[in-house]
Amino acid sequence: MSIGMSKLLVIGISLFVCLLLQCEEIYGKEYLVGDEKRWNPDTNLSSWPEGKKFKAGDVLNFQYTSHLFDVVALGNYPGYEACDPYPVPKKIYSSGNDYVVLEKGTNSFVPFDVSYCKRGMKLQVEAE
């Protein structure tokens, strides 16, 4: 390989890496909610955000069994503590593989079924 080709390869790889880093900055980082346990009542979702630094524009991927669960986005609605998705859920997801873009501030999520929520199946994250 000639010196010119080597320099071109190094420049190409450098540009590719820069583009990858820029894409994460522009589109945000993606997180699988609950990691390998996913969105379900057996996952300790209250501790899942620990050690993660969320930013507005990051994406939460909720994966779950669609006929058993759903995801209700509450935004900054105070119903989170009481596991109350009423009266104004921001959005309801039910596909079993949902992508939610975080907004700056508090982002709260509960299942529609209050019994699951009271067992700990709820999530609240702060995004900068």
Side-chain angles (χ1 to χ4, degrees), residues 63-113:
Q63 291 183 3
Y64 53 94
T65 306
S66 63
H67 67 279
L68 293 178
F69 309 118
D70 48 30
V71 179
V72 179
L74 299 175
N76 196 16
Y77 178 69
Y80 173 81
E81 288 301 325
C83 291
D84 182 9
Y86 300 102
V88 193
K90 188 172 184 181
K91 185 156 184 176
I92 300 170
Y93 300 90
S94 58
S95 76
N97 188 31
D98 303 308
Y99 294 86
V100 180
V101 178
L102 293 176
E103 296 177 0
K104 185 174 184 167
T106 304
N107 294 260
S108 304
F109 306 92
V110 298
F112 224 86
D113 187 323

Coordinates of all heavy atoms in Angstrom, one line a residue, residues 63-113:
Q63 N -39.2 -2.3 25.6 CA -39.6 -3.6 25.0 C -40.3 -4.4 26.1 O -39.9 -4.5 27.2 CB -38.3 -4.3 24.6 CG -37.6 -3.7 23.4 CD -36.4 -4.4 23.0 OE1 -36.1 -5.5 23.5 NE2 -35.7 -3.9 22.0
Y64 N -41.5 -4.9 25.7 CA -42.3 -5.7 26.6 C -43.3 -6.5 25.8 O -43.4 -6.4 24.6 CB -43.1 -4.7 27.5 CG -43.8 -3.6 26.7 CD1 -45.2 -3.8 26.4 CD2 -43.2 -2.5 26.3 CE1 -45.8 -2.8 25.6 CE2 -43.8 -1.5 25.6 CZ -45.1 -1.7 25.2 OH -45.8 -0.7 24.5
T65 N -44.0 -7.4 26.5 CA -45.1 -8.2 25.9 C -46.3 -7.3 25.7 O -47.0 -6.9 26.7 CB -45.4 -9.4 26.8 OG1 -44.2 -10.1 27.1 CG2 -46.4 -10.3 26.1
S66 N -46.6 -7.0 24.5 CA -47.6 -6.0 24.2 C -49.0 -6.4 24.7 O -49.8 -5.5 25.0 CB -47.7 -5.7 22.7 OG -48.0 -6.9 21.9
H67 N -49.4 -7.6 24.7 CA -50.8 -7.9 25.2 C -50.9 -7.9 26.7 O -52.0 -8.0 27.2 CB -51.3 -9.2 24.6 CG -50.5 -10.5 25.0 ND1 -49.3 -10.8 24.5 CD2 -50.8 -11.4 26.0 CE1 -48.9 -11.9 25.1 NE2 -49.8 -12.3 26.0
L68 N -49.7 -7.8 27.4 CA -49.7 -7.8 28.9 C -49.5 -6.4 29.4 O -50.1 -6.1 30.5 CB -48.7 -8.7 29.4 CG -48.8 -10.2 29.2 CD1 -47.6 -11.0 29.8 CD2 -50.1 -10.7 29.8
F69 N -48.7 -5.6 28.8 CA -48.3 -4.3 29.3 C -48.4 -3.2 28.3 O -48.7 -3.5 27.1 CB -46.8 -4.4 29.8 CG -46.5 -5.6 30.7 CD1 -45.6 -6.5 30.2 CD2 -47.1 -5.7 31.9 CE1 -45.2 -7.6 31.0 CE2 -46.8 -6.8 32.7 CZ -45.8 -7.7 32.3
D70 N -48.2 -2.0 28.8 CA -48.2 -0.9 27.9 C -47.3 0.2 28.6 O -46.8 -0.1 29.7 CB -49.6 -0.3 27.6 CG -50.4 -0.1 28.9 OD1 -49.8 0.1 30.0 OD2 -51.6 -0.3 28.8
V71 N -47.1 1.3 28.0 CA -46.3 2.4 28.6 C -47.1 3.7 28.5 O -47.5 4.0 27.4 CB -44.9 2.6 27.9 CG1 -44.2 3.7 28.6 CG2 -44.2 1.3 27.9
V72 N -47.3 4.3 29.7 CA -48.0 5.6 29.7 C -47.0 6.7 30.0 O -46.4 6.6 31.1 CB -49.1 5.6 30.7 CG1 -49.8 7.0 30.7 CG2 -50.1 4.5 30.4
A73 N -46.7 7.6 29.1 CA -45.8 8.7 29.3 C -46.6 9.8 30.1 O -47.7 10.2 29.6 CB -45.3 9.2 28.0
L74 N -46.1 10.2 31.2 CA -46.8 11.2 32.0 C -46.1 12.6 31.9 O -46.7 13.6 32.4 CB -46.8 10.8 33.5 CG -47.5 9.5 33.8 CD1 -47.4 9.2 35.3 CD2 -49.0 9.6 33.4
G75 N -44.9 12.7 31.3 CA -44.2 13.9 31.4 C -43.8 14.3 32.8 O -43.3 13.4 33.5
N76 N -44.2 15.5 33.2 CA -43.9 15.9 34.6 C -45.1 15.9 35.5 O -45.2 16.6 36.4 CB -43.2 17.3 34.6 CG -42.6 17.6 35.9 OD1 -42.3 16.7 36.7 ND2 -42.3 18.9 36.1
Y77 N -46.1 15.1 35.1 CA -47.4 15.0 35.8 C -47.2 14.4 37.2 O -46.5 13.3 37.3 CB -48.3 14.2 34.9 CG -49.7 14.0 35.6 CD1 -50.6 15.0 35.8 CD2 -50.1 12.7 36.0 CE1 -51.8 14.9 36.3 CE2 -51.3 12.5 36.6 CZ -52.2 13.6 36.8 OH -53.4 13.4 37.3
P78 N -47.8 14.9 38.2 CA -47.6 14.4 39.6 C -48.2 13.0 39.8 O -48.0 12.5 40.9 CB -48.2 15.4 40.5 CG -49.1 16.2 39.6 CD -48.6 16.1 38.2
G79 N -48.9 12.4 38.9 CA -49.5 11.1 39.1 C -48.5 10.0 39.2 O -48.9 8.9 39.5
Y80 N -47.3 10.3 38.9 CA -46.3 9.2 39.0 C -46.2 8.5 40.3 O -46.2 7.3 40.4 CB -44.9 9.8 38.6 CG -43.8 8.8 38.8 CD1 -43.5 7.9 37.8 CD2 -43.0 8.9 39.9 CE1 -42.5 7.0 37.9 CE2 -41.9 8.0 40.1 CZ -41.7 7.0 39.1 OH -40.7 6.1 39.2
E81 N -46.1 9.3 41.4 CA -45.9 8.7 42.7 C -47.1 7.9 43.1 O -47.0 6.8 43.7 CB -45.7 9.9 43.8 CG -44.4 10.5 43.7 CD -43.2 9.6 43.9 OE1 -43.3 8.6 44.7 OE2 -42.2 9.8 43.2
A82 N -48.3 8.3 42.7 CA -49.5 7.6 43.1 C -49.9 6.5 42.1 O -50.9 5.8 42.2 CB -50.7 8.6 43.2
C83 N -49.0 6.3 41.1 CA -49.3 5.3 40.0 C -50.6 5.6 39.3 O -51.4 4.7 39.0 CB -49.3 3.9 40.5 SG -47.7 3.3 41.0
D84 N -50.9 6.9 39.1 CA -52.1 7.3 38.5 C -51.9 7.9 37.1 O -51.4 9.0 36.9 CB -52.8 8.4 39.4 CG -54.1 8.8 38.9 OD1 -54.7 8.2 37.9 OD2 -54.6 9.8 39.4
P85 N -52.3 7.1 36.0 CA -52.1 7.6 34.7 C -53.2 8.6 34.2 O -53.1 9.1 33.2 CB -52.1 6.4 33.8 CG -53.0 5.4 34.6 CD -52.7 5.7 36.0
Y86 N -54.1 8.9 35.1 CA -55.2 9.8 34.8 C -55.0 11.1 35.4 O -54.2 11.2 36.4 CB -56.6 9.2 35.3 CG -56.9 7.9 34.7 CD1 -56.7 6.7 35.4 CD2 -57.4 7.8 33.4 CE1 -57.0 5.5 34.9 CE2 -57.7 6.5 32.9 CZ -57.5 5.4 33.6 OH -57.8 4.2 33.1
P87 N -55.5 12.2 35.0 CA -56.5 12.3 33.9 C -55.9 12.6 32.6 O -56.6 12.5 31.6 CB -57.4 13.5 34.4 CG -56.4 14.4 35.1 CD -55.4 13.4 35.7
V88 N -54.6 12.9 32.5 CA -54.1 13.4 31.3 C -52.8 12.7 30.9 O -51.7 13.3 31.1 CB -53.8 14.9 31.3 CG1 -53.5 15.5 29.9 CG2 -54.9 15.7 31.9
P89 N -52.8 11.5 30.4 CA -51.6 10.9 30.0 C -51.0 11.6 28.8 O -51.8 12.0 27.9 CB -51.9 9.4 29.7 CG -53.4 9.4 29.5 CD -53.9 10.6 30.3
K90 N -49.8 11.8 28.7 CA -49.2 12.5 27.6 C -49.3 11.7 26.3 O -49.6 12.2 25.3 CB -47.7 12.9 28.0 CG -47.0 13.7 27.0 CD -45.7 14.2 27.5 CE -45.1 15.1 26.5 NZ -43.8 15.5 27.0
K91 N -48.9 10.4 26.5 CA -49.0 9.5 25.3 C -49.1 8.1 25.9 O -48.5 7.8 26.9 CB -47.9 9.7 24.4 CG -48.0 8.8 23.2 CD -47.2 9.4 22.0 CE -47.5 8.5 20.8 NZ -46.9 8.9 19.6
I92 N -49.8 7.2 25.2 CA -49.8 5.8 25.5 C -49.2 5.0 24.4 O -49.5 5.2 23.3 CB -51.3 5.4 25.8 CG1 -51.9 6.2 26.9 CG2 -51.4 3.9 26.1 CD1 -53.4 6.0 27.0
Y93 N -48.3 4.1 24.8 CA -47.6 3.2 23.9 C -48.0 1.8 24.1 O -48.1 1.4 25.3 CB -46.1 3.4 24.1 CG -45.5 4.7 23.8 CD1 -45.4 5.6 24.9 CD2 -45.1 5.2 22.6 CE1 -44.9 6.9 24.7 CE2 -44.6 6.4 22.4 CZ -44.5 7.3 23.4 OH -44.0 8.6 23.2
S94 N -48.2 1.0 23.1 CA -48.7 -0.3 23.3 C -48.1 -1.3 22.2 O -48.6 -2.4 22.2 CB -50.2 -0.4 23.3 OG -50.7 0.2 22.0
S95 N -47.1 -1.0 21.5 CA -46.6 -1.9 20.4 C -45.8 -3.0 20.9 O -45.6 -4.0 20.3 CB -45.8 -1.1 19.4 OG -44.5 -0.7 19.9
G96 N -45.2 -2.8 22.1 CA -44.2 -3.8 22.6 C -42.8 -3.5 22.3 O -41.9 -4.1 22.8
N97 N -42.6 -2.5 21.5 CA -41.2 -2.1 21.1 C -41.3 -0.6 20.8 O -41.3 -0.2 19.6 CB -40.7 -2.9 19.9 CG -39.3 -2.6 19.6 OD1 -38.5 -2.3 20.5 ND2 -38.9 -2.7 18.4
D98 N -41.4 0.2 21.8 CA -41.6 1.7 21.6 C -40.4 2.5 21.9 O -39.6 2.2 22.8 CB -42.7 2.1 22.6 CG -44.0 1.3 22.4 OD1 -44.5 1.3 21.2 OD2 -44.5 0.8 23.3
Y99 N -40.2 3.5 21.1 CA -39.1 4.4 21.2 C -39.6 5.8 21.6 O -40.5 6.4 21.0 CB -38.3 4.6 19.9 CG -37.6 3.3 19.5 CD1 -38.3 2.3 18.8 CD2 -36.3 3.1 19.9 CE1 -37.7 1.1 18.4 CE2 -35.7 1.9 19.5 CZ -36.4 0.9 18.8 OH -35.7 -0.3 18.5
V100 N -39.1 6.3 22.8 CA -39.6 7.6 23.3 C -38.4 8.5 23.4 O -37.4 8.2 24.1 CB -40.2 7.4 24.7 CG1 -40.7 8.7 25.3 CG2 -41.3 6.3 24.6
V101 N -38.5 9.7 22.8 CA -37.4 10.7 22.9 C -37.6 11.5 24.2 O -38.7 12.0 24.4 CB -37.5 11.6 21.7 CG1 -36.4 12.7 21.8 CG2 -37.3 10.8 20.4
L102 N -36.6 11.6 25.0 CA -36.7 12.3 26.2 C -36.7 13.8 26.0 O -36.0 14.4 25.2 CB -35.5 12.0 27.1 CG -35.4 10.6 27.7 CD1 -34.2 10.3 28.5 CD2 -36.7 10.2 28.5
E103 N -37.5 14.5 26.8 CA -37.5 16.0 26.8 C -36.7 16.4 28.0 O -36.5 15.7 29.0 CB -39.0 16.4 26.9 CG -39.8 16.1 25.7 CD -41.3 16.5 25.9 OE1 -41.6 17.1 26.9 OE2 -42.0 16.2 24.9
K104 N -36.3 17.7 28.0 CA -35.5 18.2 29.1 C -36.4 18.3 30.3 O -37.6 18.6 30.2 CB -35.1 19.7 28.7 CG -34.2 20.3 29.8 CD -33.6 21.6 29.4 CE -32.7 22.0 30.5 NZ -31.8 23.1 30.0
G105 N -35.9 17.9 31.5 CA -36.6 17.9 32.7 C -37.0 16.5 33.1 O -36.4 15.5 32.7
T106 N -38.1 16.4 33.8 CA -38.6 15.1 34.4 C -39.4 14.3 33.3 O -40.3 14.9 32.7 CB -39.5 15.3 35.6 OG1 -38.7 16.0 36.6 CG2 -39.9 14.0 36.2
N107 N -39.1 13.1 33.1 CA -39.8 12.2 32.2 C -40.3 11.0 33.0 O -39.5 10.3 33.5 CB -39.0 11.8 31.0 CG -38.5 12.9 30.1 OD1 -39.1 13.1 29.1 ND2 -37.5 13.6 30.5
S108 N -41.6 10.8 33.1 CA -42.2 9.8 33.9 C -43.0 8.8 33.1 O -43.7 9.2 32.2 CB -43.1 10.4 35.0 OG -42.4 11.3 35.8
F109 N -42.9 7.5 33.5 CA -43.6 6.5 32.7 C -44.2 5.5 33.7 O -43.5 5.1 34.7 CB -42.6 5.8 31.8 CG -41.9 6.7 30.9 CD1 -40.7 7.2 31.2 CD2 -42.5 7.1 29.7 CE1 -40.0 8.1 30.4 CE2 -41.8 8.0 28.8 CZ -40.6 8.5 29.2
V110 N -45.4 5.0 33.5 CA -46.1 4.0 34.3 C -46.8 3.1 33.3 O -47.1 3.5 32.2 CB -47.1 4.6 35.3 CG1 -46.3 5.5 36.3 CG2 -48.2 5.4 34.6
P111 N -47.2 1.9 33.7 CA -48.1 1.1 32.9 C -49.5 1.6 33.3 O -49.8 2.2 34.3 CB -47.9 -0.3 33.5 CG -47.4 -0.1 34.9 CD -46.7 1.2 34.9
F112 N -50.5 1.3 32.4 CA -51.8 1.7 32.6 C -52.4 0.9 33.8 O -53.3 1.4 34.5 CB -52.7 1.4 31.3 CG -53.6 2.6 31.1 CD1 -53.1 3.7 30.4 CD2 -54.9 2.6 31.5 CE1 -54.0 4.8 30.1 CE2 -55.7 3.7 31.3 CZ -55.3 4.8 30.6
D113 N -52.0 -0.4 34.0 CA -52.5 -1.2 35.0 C -51.8 -0.8 36.4 O -50.6 -1.0 36.6 CB -52.1 -2.7 34.7 CG -52.8 -3.6 35.7 OD1 -52.8 -3.3 36.9 OD2 -53.2 -4.7 35.3

